Amino acid sequence: MTTMAATRVYKDLIWQDPDRVSGAVCFFATRLPIQHMFDYLEGGQTIEEFCQDYNCPIEKAKAVLELASHGVETFLQAA
């Protein structure tokens, strides 16, 4: 059973729940791990291909990429 206390949500963009998809960080309100998007991009596919294949709004995918970019910047500033 999923509990809201165990679920972590960031800006209705991503979420993580230990009881869903082995605790993977997913696009909010889906079971689609954001890692799938990074794997697609690493494999040479486009963001548009990912969004089409997984029925993901492109705005959401781009927002997750932006969030990841800020995470890297924050890490580098702290180093």
Side-chain angles (χ1 to χ4, degrees):
M1 173 115 198
T2 301
T3 62
M4 286 308 288
T7 302
R8 299 185 319 165
V9 176
Y10 183 77
K11 294 186 178 184
D12 291 344
L13 184 58
I14 60 173
W15 70 330
Q16 181 182 35
D17 186 318
D19 295 332
R20 293 180 183 264
V21 196
S22 300
V25 177
C26 294
F27 285 91
F28 182 70
T30 73
R31 297 177 63 84
L32 176 57
I34 64 169
Q35 185 61 48
H36 282 16
M37 178 178 66
F38 294 114
D39 293 343
Y40 252 62
L41 297 174
E42 184 179 344
Q45 284 119 335
T46 66
I47 190 104
E48 291 82 8
E49 289 170 316
F50 168 80
C51 290
Q52 183 176 3
D53 289 352
Y54 285 97
N55 195 28
C56 177
I58 195 157
E59 298 81 17
K60 238 182 200 196
K62 287 181 177 180
V64 168
L65 287 173
E66 181 73 19
L67 178 62
S69 170
H70 287 299
V72 169
E73 290 172 8
T74 300
F75 172 77
L76 290 174
Q77 289 172 359

